[in-house]
Amino acid sequence: MVYLSKSKYCGLWQCPKIAWLRKYKPETSRLDDSVLARMEAGNEVGALARSLYGDFVDITAYTGENPDLKKMMENTRREMEKGTPVICEASFEYNGLYCAVDILRKDGDGWAIYEVKSSSKHGGDSDDKPVYIADIAYQKYVLENCGVKVSGVYLVCLNGDYVFDGTLDIHKLFTVSDVAEAVAVEWEKIETNLLVAERLLLSPNEPKIDLFAGCKKPYLCSFWKYCSRHLPQPSVFDLYRMQFSKKIKFYRQGIISYEDLLSCPAITNDKQLRQIEFALQDKGTYIEKENIRFFLGSLSYPLYFLDFETMQPVIPKFVGTKPYAQIPFQYSLHYIECEGGELKHKEFLAESGPDPRRALAERLCADIPMNTCVTAYNKAFECTRIRELAALFPDLAEHLLNIRDNIVDLLVPFQSGYYYNRAMGGSFSIKSVLPAIFPDDPSLDYHNLEGVHNGGEAMDIFPKIEFMPPEEQAKARHNLLKYCELDTYAMVKVWQELERVAK
């Protein structure tokens, strides 16, 4: 008998090998920060959605830290027999197939399945992710084989157009879609998929499934590192700005190593060719002096270096915001007032809990004079946040938009190929450029920071500060300030390097 949960079944849907690896080699799974964040968001959204249809009974049970599946199924049977109208985490098992339904709702003489996802849908969206449909179809299959009449199947997502007005309305926050038609189509595939799963999972031999588009669709597979361990380093999958589907096509043709790519006539992009050539032969640093000088000519004193940190509440917390809105809560600002002048620093970190945007916007206007040259790294992010602040606070709009209109992107010389060395590895993010230029400077090493090493960690920690004891709050705030300060100091060092090579 094969044992499958709905998550393993959906893994099978993405790639049959996933289900086998989860059973036989779970230790090879690598969950990156984005996956963990998605899981945390799912828990938050799922908990809130339970109240959509009034009072509910949550049948979750634990033995120690692990869910007690047997107890959960017993609780489910008891609540269904009582006629409880809404049951959350209702659990079922049929012939080794297990599932827990996010929301099971009494519907006439049957029961409706509601699957809750943390993704957002907008008014114009009509198609649901196929993996969601596969998930719901599997649940229906299990329930009906357990003798439950399934009267409806629904997908519950966040309404991406919902704007929080100060009072959370969960009926407007969520959008509920009847997916019966799509589930009926997917239903026809379940028996075949289960036969495939049985054949795979009862065999101790690892399935011979090579890399393919499903490795990153609909999600980056957590077993990617394991399944790609045979690749040379670097490989075609490290190539700059090439679609994954095209990389797979090259891989299938045996064009995998950089040696293969160098002799491939289909590679014509100058930046990709430079990345390949520098990886194969360390040619030092490639510099286009005239273009760098032209870029530097767009800068003027006083010169400011700006970086924001933001959080993205899944459930909107502040008036006027939508699910997953980017909320700036911190910035760092290094600046030099005149040529040869002293490097100075200003910073802002909001209080965790209240809406940080007004205080941040006011301080930003106080710290950056109008008609001043400001640099940002990948300026689209900072410019968008400033534009949003200007729309929110009309009395500050003139000053804020003036700041935005005077931002120059420090990414340009690197993304345009004016400056490149082997250590960048085809990436032009500040986290790649900085160590490539200054490999031996511990003061510029993000790994040496305490507590916060990247934007994802900053985003995660800031909203939690509100609930920390005072000593932990002080430490977390210190760590956030040091991290953001390094971001703009890194920009200063990068600018200084451009100044040096342009002479």
Side-chain angles (χ1 to χ4, degrees):
M1 179 185 294
V2 61
Y3 292 89
L4 275 181
S5 64
K6 67 175 184 176
S7 62
K8 287 181 179 177
Y9 177 82
C10 290
L12 176 82
W13 180 90
Q14 180 173 349
C15 171
K17 193 173 179 180
I18 292 177
W20 189 93
L21 289 169
R22 282 180 175 168
K23 178 178 180 179
Y24 291 99
K25 294 188 176 182
E27 72 282 357
T28 62
S29 174
R30 297 290 181 269
L31 297 177
D32 64 18
D33 291 342
S34 63
V35 175
L36 295 172
R38 190 167 67 239
M39 291 169 63
E40 188 172 336
N43 293 335
E44 184 179 357
V45 170
L48 188 61
R50 292 177 175 183
S51 301
L52 270 172
Y53 299 103
D55 293 339
F56 62 89
V57 173
D58 178 7
I59 58 81
T60 306
Y62 287 89
T63 297
E65 295 183 355
N66 299 313
D68 187 332
L69 305 184
K70 183 178 179 181
K71 184 67 175 175
M72 289 171 68
M73 288 187 281
E74 290 173 358
N75 292 346
T76 299
R77 282 193 294 270
R78 183 182 68 249
E79 296 300 330
M80 291 180 73
E81 288 169 0
K82 286 166 56 178
T84 300
V86 181
I87 307 170
C88 295
E89 296 302 317
S91 301
F92 303 87
E93 189 268 338
Y94 164 70
N95 199 28
L97 307 178
Y98 171 82
C99 74
V101 180
D102 289 337
I103 302 172
L104 186 67
R105 185 186 184 200
K106 192 78 176 75
D107 182 26
D109 62 347
W111 296 84
I113 293 171
Y114 293 81
E115 174 66 13
V116 182
K117 298 296 183 184
S118 59
S119 58
S120 60
K121 290 182 68 173
H122 298 270
D125 295 347
S126 57
D127 294 334
D128 297 304
K129 289 183 179 179
V131 69
Y132 294 171
I133 302 303
D135 187 335
I136 299 170
Y138 171 83
Q139 294 178 57
K140 182 184 178 186
Y141 179 87
V142 173
L143 267 65
E144 291 202 339
N145 277 285
C146 288
V148 178
K149 180 180 178 181
V150 177
S151 55
V153 283
Y154 301 90
L155 176 64
V156 181
C157 293
L158 290 167
N159 175 8
D161 298 318
Y162 172 73
V163 179
F164 180 58
D165 63 3
T167 302
L168 191 66
D169 185 336
I170 64 170
H171 296 285
K172 292 180 180 179
L173 173 65
F174 290 102
T175 176
V176 181
S177 306
D178 186 333
V179 291
E181 188 175 333
V183 166
V185 174
E186 185 65 30
W187 177 275
E188 302 299 322
K189 307 173 187 176
I190 292 179
E191 294 284 358
T192 300
N193 290 343
L194 291 175
L195 287 173
V196 171
E198 185 171 26
R199 186 175 69 250
L200 284 173
L201 296 180
L202 294 180
S203 170
N205 299 316
E206 184 173 327
K208 294 181 179 179
I209 299 175
D210 205 353
L211 305 179
F212 74 118
C215 295
K216 288 197 175 183
K217 188 177 180 181
Y219 310 112
L220 171 62
C221 176
S222 62
F223 295 100
W224 166 258
K225 196 158 188 136
Y226 172 79
C227 292
S228 63
R229 67 193 184 283
H230 63 288
L231 294 173
Q233 295 298 322
S235 76
V236 63
F237 293 98
D238 299 303
L239 211 52
Y240 171 72
R241 284 210 170 177
M242 180 181 285
Q243 291 184 342
F244 188 74
S245 59
K246 191 171 182 180
K247 293 177 180 180
I248 288 290
K249 185 177 179 181
F250 277 121
Y251 174 77
R252 294 289 187 192
Q253 295 171 347
I255 304 171
I256 303 171
S257 70
Y258 274 22
E259 287 85 357
D260 300 330
L261 290 162
L262 190 59
S263 58
C264 177
I267 304 296
T268 58
N269 181 287
D270 288 343
K271 299 183 190 69
Q272 292 173 351
L273 286 170
R274 188 173 302 127
Q275 179 186 350
I276 294 166
E277 291 169 355
F278 274 63
L280 293 175
Q281 312 167 33
D282 192 351
K283 297 184 176 181
T285 300
Y286 174 85
I287 295 169
E288 294 183 6
K289 276 195 176 187
E290 288 304 315
N291 282 326
I292 292 175
R293 285 172 182 159
F294 181 80
F295 168 78
L296 292 172
S298 66
L299 307 180
S300 60
Y301 294 97
L303 181 58
Y304 285 72
F305 302 82
L306 173 67
D307 180 74
F308 283 142
E309 297 302 330
T310 63
M311 58 179 175
Q312 277 187 287
V314 182
I315 309 300
K317 294 176 59 178
F318 308 121
V319 173
T321 63
K322 298 179 180 181
Y324 292 106
Q326 294 269 13
I327 309 296
F329 62 82
Q330 177 182 11
Y331 66 77
S332 175
L333 193 67
H334 276 91
Y335 63 104
I336 303 171
E337 294 176 320
C338 59
E339 186 172 359
E342 177 188 357
L343 178 64
K344 298 180 181 180
H345 181 246
K346 294 181 180 180
E347 59 191 358
F348 173 85
L349 176 57
E351 179 185 349
S352 178
D355 187 340
R357 293 173 296 171
R358 178 73 196 191
L360 182 143
E362 288 178 347
R363 275 286 298 276
L364 192 68
C365 290
D367 285 347
I368 303 180
M370 293 181 72
N371 303 314
T372 298
C373 183
V374 180
T375 68
Y377 205 94
N378 195 8
K379 74 172 187 177
F381 183 79
E382 273 71 24
C383 286
T384 302
R385 303 289 80 78
I386 292 173
R387 177 177 54 78
E388 292 166 348
L389 292 171
L392 188 61
F393 305 118
D395 59 313
L396 302 176
E398 181 182 4
H399 197 135
L400 289 168
L401 293 177
N402 181 272
I403 293 172
R404 182 201 64 172
D405 292 343
N406 285 284
I407 294 181
V408 180
D409 201 335
L410 199 57
L411 171 66
V412 167
F414 303 97
Q415 193 173 58
S416 299
Y418 305 158
Y419 186 113
Y420 185 79
N421 71 31
R422 181 184 194 178
M424 291 180 192
S427 172
F428 304 122
S429 73
I430 193 74
K431 300 296 194 296
S432 297
V433 169
L434 187 67
I437 298 176
F438 306 102
D440 303 315
D441 189 338
S443 69
L444 300 176
D445 189 341
Y446 284 87
H447 295 95
N448 291 332
L449 293 171
E450 184 178 353
V452 184
H453 309 88
N454 55 59
E457 291 180 357
M459 183 181 292
D460 180 60
I461 288 171
F462 176 73
K464 295 177 180 176
I465 293 177
E466 178 185 4
F467 308 103
M468 295 177 182
E471 188 174 328
E472 289 184 25
Q473 284 188 352
K475 185 175 181 181
R477 290 181 65 85
H478 172 80
N479 292 341
L480 280 167
L481 290 169
K482 286 301 177 184
Y483 166 71
C484 198
E485 180 182 358
L486 180 54
D487 269 348
T488 51
Y489 184 60
M491 293 165 57
V492 173
K493 296 296 288 184
V494 166
W495 164 73
Q496 289 174 342
E497 171 67 3
L498 294 174
E499 287 275 333
R500 183 187 71 79
V501 301
K503 291 178 181 175

